[in-house]
Amino acid sequence: MTNQATYGASKHQTGLWLGELVHFYDKAVKAGHTVDVVSPAGGVVPLDPRGLGRLFVDRTVRGYLDDQAFMDALKATPSVADTDPDDYSTIFFTGGHGTMWDFPDSADLQRTAQAIYADGGIVSSVCHGACALINLRDTDGNPLVRNRTVTGFATVEERLAGVKSRVPFLLEDELRAKGAKYVRSTIPMTPHAVRDGRLITGQNPVSTKAVSDLILAALAGTE
């Protein structure tokens, strides 16, 4: 999850889109998996205020908002640098626009994700979490997303969200530039998730449940 609380140096707030964490977390834990919640720098994970709006806070999100221990954990997350990739079968990159600043160039995120993938694990993301995929490399040194079918927050969705002028790059363009076969739903802001082997991605916040189901199915097939 991101540690970035604003759109760059601006005053406009962003952070983790909470539903993208809890909908995955809830499904994974209920399926019997252990989930560790970490961030690039460690410490506080800010919450995007837009993601706490009435349209996005369903019963599951409300349950975690009311879980004081869970919410306190988001104020003191471990750094990904302090994690051992050998302990994990999957890494899941949550979204929120903050990731555009601290995910792409994080050497610790890259080290961890690449090690998990090289060891036969799953690399996955939802929405802007795909920013972490941009600079990942396979064992041959090629972009991990090259010639792979992936998705992430679309340019048209940035425009509809009213923040296209605030972002440092367009995720869709960056993925394509790395050679990815970028795909998106015909109708913006609707669920869309894709699996290409052990690379699993979801397009937008409402795709979290769909991408989580693909991840859990992949895990069930490899365990």
Side-chain angles (χ1 to χ4, degrees), residues 150-151 183-186 190-194 201-204 206-207 210-211:
V150 299
T151 190
V183 295
R184 60 179 173 84
S185 57
T186 303
T190 57
H192 185 64
V194 294
T201 51
Q203 182 176 328
N204 47 39
V206 296
S207 302
V211 75

Side-chain angles (χ1 to χ4, degrees), residues 56 84-85 197 212:
F56 304 106
D84 183 348
S212 299

Side-chain angles (χ1 to χ4, degrees), residues 12-212:
H12 298 290
Q13 291 181 292
T14 183
L16 165 71
W17 198 274
L18 185 60
E20 294 176 17
L21 168 62
V22 303
H23 283 129
F24 169 77
Y25 186 95
D26 191 68
K27 279 179 171 284
V29 169
K30 287 178 177 176
H33 299 285
T34 299
V35 181
D36 290 335
V37 178
V38 302
S39 60
V44 176
V45 170
L47 302 182
D48 190 314
R50 296 177 71 168
L52 302 178
R54 186 171 61 181
L55 287 176
F56 304 106
V57 177
D58 60 12
R59 181 178 298 178
T60 302
V61 175
R62 172 54 58 192
Y64 282 90
L65 279 169
D66 291 340
D67 183 337
Q68 194 59 53
F70 183 84
M71 298 307 297
D72 285 345
L74 298 185
K75 299 175 184 177
T77 60
S79 166
V80 69
D82 295 327
T83 63
D84 183 348
D86 290 343
D87 292 338
Y88 301 96
S89 60
T90 305
I91 186 166
F92 177 63
F93 295 108
T94 57
H97 280 89
T99 61
M100 304 189 84
W101 280 267
D102 64 355
F103 274 18
D105 298 317
S106 171
D108 293 321
L109 284 184
Q110 292 165 18
R111 172 188 60 83
T112 303
Q114 288 167 178
I116 290 171
Y117 194 80
D119 197 37
I122 295 166
V123 170
S124 56
S125 66
V126 70
C127 199
H128 288 92
C131 291
L133 308 181
I134 293 170
N135 291 321
L136 294 186
R137 299 278 175 175
D138 62 21
T139 53
D140 294 322
N142 299 311
L144 185 65
V145 298
R146 180 182 291 179
N147 297 322
R148 308 293 294 280
T149 302
V150 299
T151 190
F153 206 62
T155 299
V156 65
E157 292 172 324
E158 297 283 16
R159 190 176 298 114
L160 289 171
V163 296
K164 186 171 179 284
S165 63
R166 297 180 191 168
V167 298
F169 57 86
L170 296 172
L171 177 57
E172 178 179 337
D173 290 352
E174 288 296 314
L175 290 169
R176 292 185 193 277
K178 294 294 184 178
K181 300 175 182 178
Y182 177 86
V183 295
R184 60 179 173 84
S185 57
T186 303
I187 302 173
M189 302 297 190
T190 57
H192 185 64
V194 294
R195 177 182 177 184
D196 189 330
R198 291 181 289 109
L199 185 59
I200 303 174
T201 51
Q203 182 176 328
N204 47 39
V206 296
S207 302
T208 307
K209 294 178 182 179
V211 75
S212 299

